[in-house]
């Protein structure tokens, strides 16, 4: 059965003894003759890694046959009877030194890995062994003229429409310590648990779903798993090769049925973001954000290069140059308030995603300033890019959210005249006793003093410091408990635009600290972190100690109101009114796109606050 003369000495595949798992990568042949794709796949799977130390891989069995051979295969019959055009099998012997012994020992573990390839028409099901699975995925990326994966949306519509028993989600909005890189869940029907705000920043990695019972299938039943980006399906083990081939044919049947009617293709998980492989629909970069150094994952904080790069980018000015009509765009960069020049950024394909190819545009206006920023961007992947088309680049992937954009309705605009909207705390850089002691002091124009002046009624304490529950806590005369989270604006210019990044950290902190909504937990925290210098007031007048506040806190009931208030005066009321006045259907300005991103962020934060039986308010500047 072997086609290659050099493999005459190889053992035949014992087809009648095989009972393989159905774990296959489903592909569509793009060659003019699908048999050419079939042959190329086999050649790729036959490649064995070089011998390393005392680990070696040797091909020991191989078989190939086609339906027109009319050959009866023991345990299967003829391929024509099975409805298959071509079939191939490979078995590799892998020898390795046991993990419990020195590599110089003569003791060896031996395992045998099976690979299978099935073709019917232009569809192929490939079962690579574990050793070659990643290499085979890379081969698909490099061989567009031979094969391509099945569209993730087609796989989703074909196999994942039933009840979801397991979900593996991946972040599509940037990596940080503020949210999980991935989320895994199991349950009765996880589609009922997805939330448009909490989950729209994640894309589907893998899922296990029940196959609908009305498909009239004989073998493809029960719960099937799919990893949509790698076009992989998996099911429980098959009893024999006839059942394996029969199940593969039913997979092909379903795919052909769905792709024959494109209008029937729908999303099984509309709440989730969509990963894209085609950049033709990606255009108009309008905003970028570098990961904050305080929100790097711990593993990356420990890496000097990543930490140093994040520190540089934290102090850098990085702004998109307007006017891009493709995925490619330009950035104006600077450092410590000094302009450095312009760089070009082009997303380029790589296995399983993209990378940002960067370089200077023309002669840099200040190369000494531009160089460290450019190197920090090129040597790490800390930049998130937002596009007018709705796509987001993050950590090598480009995704598009499916969630609708709704205005945030809980804005309050108050005057900040006489205060420095960029200055969060008294004297900005000072800490501890000095901050608490200078809140409300004559001459202080920080936002901390603004809070005290504008919310004087009732009992208030400042909890600023390590492990804080909020910057300020207030209990009003009516019994409402308020958590104030304060952040300085990025600019005090009257012409400042919209900035979503100005609100990201403070909104995340507000959501994170919802755990303190429990009054007993909050009271215990306030007692354990109390210090003589920490500021307290009643009706705007200084009060010594926190005990009176804690007593009032513990006397509250669940019927008393609770509010989370973000004070961030970067957004001005006149700017919001102007953007809200843009007629529907008009091409959105970059500030409008930033506003939509900001309000989506705040709606997501509000969802968490409301789930904690509280309300979220965000205070901007009324320009007075």
């Amino acid at each position: 059965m072997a086609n290659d003369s050099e493999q005459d000495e190889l053992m035949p595949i014992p087809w009648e003894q095989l009972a393989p798992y159905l774990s296959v990568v489903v592909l569509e042949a793009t060659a003019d003759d699908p048999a050419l794709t079939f042959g190329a796949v086999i050649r790729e799977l036959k490649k064995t890694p070089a011998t390393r130390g005392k680990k070696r891989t040797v091909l020991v069995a191989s078989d190939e046959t086609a339906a027109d051979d009319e050959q009866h295969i023991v345990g299967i019959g003829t391929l024509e009877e099975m409805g298959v055009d071509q079939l191939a099998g490979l078995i590799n012997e892998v020898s390795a030194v046991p993990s419990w012994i020195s590599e110089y020992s003569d003791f060896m573990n031996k395992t045998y890995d099976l690979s299978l390839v099935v073709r019917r028409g232009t569809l192929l099901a490939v079962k690579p062994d574990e050793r070659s699975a990643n290499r085979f995925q890379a081969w698909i990326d490099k061989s567009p003229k031979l094969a391509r994966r099945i569209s993730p949306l087609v796989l989703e519509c074909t196999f994942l429409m039933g009840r979801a028993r397991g979900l593996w989600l991946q972040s599509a909005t940037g990596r940080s310590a503020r949210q999980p890189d991935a989320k895994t869940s199991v349950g009765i029907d996880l589609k009922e648990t997805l939330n448009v705000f909490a989950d729209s920043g994640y894309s589907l990695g893998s899922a296990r779903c029940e196959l609908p019972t009305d498909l009239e299938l004989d073998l493809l039943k029960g719960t099937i798993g799919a990893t949509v980006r790698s076009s992989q399906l998996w099911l429980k083990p098959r009893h024999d090769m006839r059942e394996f081939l029969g199940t593969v044919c039913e997979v092909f049947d379903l795919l052909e049925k769905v792709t024959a009617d494109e209008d029937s293709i729908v999303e099984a998980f509309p709440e989730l973001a969509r990963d894209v492989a085609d950049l033709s629909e990606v255009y108009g970069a309008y905003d970028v954000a570098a990961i904050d150094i305080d929100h790097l994952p711990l593993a990356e904080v420990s890496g000097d290069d990543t930490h140093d790069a994040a520190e540089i980018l934290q102090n850098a000015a990085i702004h998109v140059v307007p006017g891009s009509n493709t995925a490619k765009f330009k950035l104006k960069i600077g450092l410590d308030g000094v302009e450095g020049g312009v760089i070009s950024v082009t997303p380029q394909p790589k296995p399983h995603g993209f990378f940002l190819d960067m370089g200077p545009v023309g002669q840099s206006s200040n190369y000494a300033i531009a160089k460290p920023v450019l190197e920090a961007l090129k040597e790490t992947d800390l930049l998130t890019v937002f596009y007018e088309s709705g796509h987001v680049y993050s950590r090598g992937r480009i995704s598009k959210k499916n969630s609708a954009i709704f205005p945030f309705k809980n804005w309050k605009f108050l005057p900040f005249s006489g205060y420095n909207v960029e200055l969060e705390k008294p004297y900005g850089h000072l800490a501890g006793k000095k901050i608490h002691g200078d809140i409300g002091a004559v001459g202080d124009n920080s936002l901390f003093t603004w809070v005290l002046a504008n919310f004087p009624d009732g009992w208030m304490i400042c909890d600023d410091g390590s492990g804080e529950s909020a910057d300020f806590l207030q209990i009003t005369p009516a019994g409402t408990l308020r958590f104030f989270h304060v952040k300085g604006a990025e600019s005090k210019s009257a012409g400042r635009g919209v900035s979503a990044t100005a609100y990201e950290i403070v909104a995340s902190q507000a959501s994170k600290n919802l755990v303190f909504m429990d009054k007993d937990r909050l009271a215990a925290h306030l007692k354990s972190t109390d210090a003589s210098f920490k500021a307290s007031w009643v009706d705007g007048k200084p009060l010594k100690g926190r005990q009176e506040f804690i007593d009032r806190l513990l006397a509250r009931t669940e019927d008393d109101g609770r509010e989370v208030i973000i004070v961030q005066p970067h957004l001005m009321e006149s700017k919001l009114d102007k953007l809200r006045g843009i007629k529907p259907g008009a091409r959105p300005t970059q500030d409008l796109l930033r506003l939509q991103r900001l309000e989506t962020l705040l709606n997501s934060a509000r969802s968490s606050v409301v789930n904690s039986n509280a309300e979220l308010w965000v205070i901007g500047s009324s320009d007075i």
Side-chain angles (χ1 to χ4, degrees), residues 512-523:
K512 177 183 176 182
N513 286 3
L514 291 174
V515 64
F516 292 110
M517 286 291 174
D518 178 82
K519 67 179 181 181
D520 292 324
R521 184 190 297 270
L522 178 57

Side-chain angles (χ1 to χ4, degrees), residues 186-213:
V186 294
I188 297 174
D189 186 2
L190 297 171
K191 291 179 181 178
E192 298 297 324
T193 70
L194 293 177
N195 180 284
V196 68
F197 291 122
D199 298 308
S200 63
Y202 289 86
S203 61
L204 180 64
S206 301
R208 289 179 62 251
C209 292
E210 292 181 358
L211 288 161
T213 57

Side-chain angles (χ1 to χ4, degrees), residues 325-338:
N325 293 316
T326 66
K328 181 179 178 179
F329 59 98
K330 295 178 182 178
L331 288 176
K332 184 181 294 184
I333 61 175
L335 187 63
D336 295 328
V338 181

Side-chain angles (χ1 to χ4, degrees), residues 210-437:
E210 292 181 358
L211 288 161
T213 57
D214 59 354
L215 295 178
E216 299 181 354
L217 301 174
D218 295 323
L219 300 172
L220 195 59
K221 297 179 179 180
T223 301
I224 192 169
T227 302
V228 293
R229 291 186 72 202
S230 59
S231 199
Q232 186 174 6
L233 301 172
W234 69 91
L235 201 63
K236 59 186 178 181
R238 305 290 86 184
H239 292 100
D240 52 37
M241 272 303 297
R242 282 187 63 86
E243 185 176 345
F244 180 89
L245 292 177
T247 308
V248 167
C249 286
E250 290 187 347
V251 167
F252 291 163
D253 290 342
L254 288 179
L255 287 172
E256 290 170 348
K257 181 179 179 181
V258 170
T259 54
D261 183 9
E262 293 186 358
D263 293 337
S264 68
I265 299 177
V266 296
E267 299 169 343
F269 302 94
E271 299 87 354
L272 301 180
R274 301 275 130 193
D275 285 351
V276 301
D278 181 5
L279 294 180
S280 61
E281 297 181 359
V282 182
Y283 64 86
Y286 69 89
D287 202 6
V288 294
I291 187 171
D292 190 277
I293 192 170
D294 293 330
H295 298 104
L296 278 172
L298 291 177
E300 297 189 11
V301 172
S302 62
D304 290 340
D305 292 343
T306 301
H307 182 277
D308 292 346
E311 193 167 34
I312 291 171
L313 297 179
Q314 188 173 8
N315 298 312
I318 309 172
H319 301 290
V320 175
V321 178
S324 169
N325 293 316
T326 66
K328 181 179 178 179
F329 59 98
K330 295 178 182 178
L331 288 176
K332 184 181 294 184
I333 61 175
L335 187 63
D336 295 328
V338 181
E339 184 176 320
V342 176
I343 64 173
S344 65
V345 184
T346 305
Q348 298 282 12
K350 67 175 184 178
H352 304 298
F354 301 90
F355 71 96
L356 298 181
D357 186 19
M358 303 182 186
V361 176
Q363 185 67 35
S364 173
S365 59
N366 191 335
Y367 184 70
I369 292 295
K371 182 180 178 181
V373 179
L374 178 57
E375 289 182 347
L377 290 170
K378 290 177 66 174
E379 297 303 321
T380 61
D381 199 1
L382 301 179
L383 197 68
T384 300
V385 184
F386 301 90
Y387 287 92
E388 293 179 30
S389 56
H391 295 85
V392 177
Y393 169 87
S394 174
R395 305 290 288 192
R397 298 162 58 209
I398 295 180
S399 307
K400 185 174 183 179
K401 284 189 174 183
N402 273 348
S403 57
I405 298 173
F406 301 102
F408 180 70
K409 297 184 177 181
N410 282 8
W411 287 107
K412 284 187 175 182
F413 291 95
L414 298 176
F416 286 83
S417 178
Y419 293 90
N420 183 350
V421 295
E422 294 179 303
L423 187 63
E424 178 182 330
K425 305 175 184 181
Y427 302 100
H429 62 282
L430 298 176
K433 296 181 180 181
K434 192 65 175 174
I435 286 178
H436 286 261

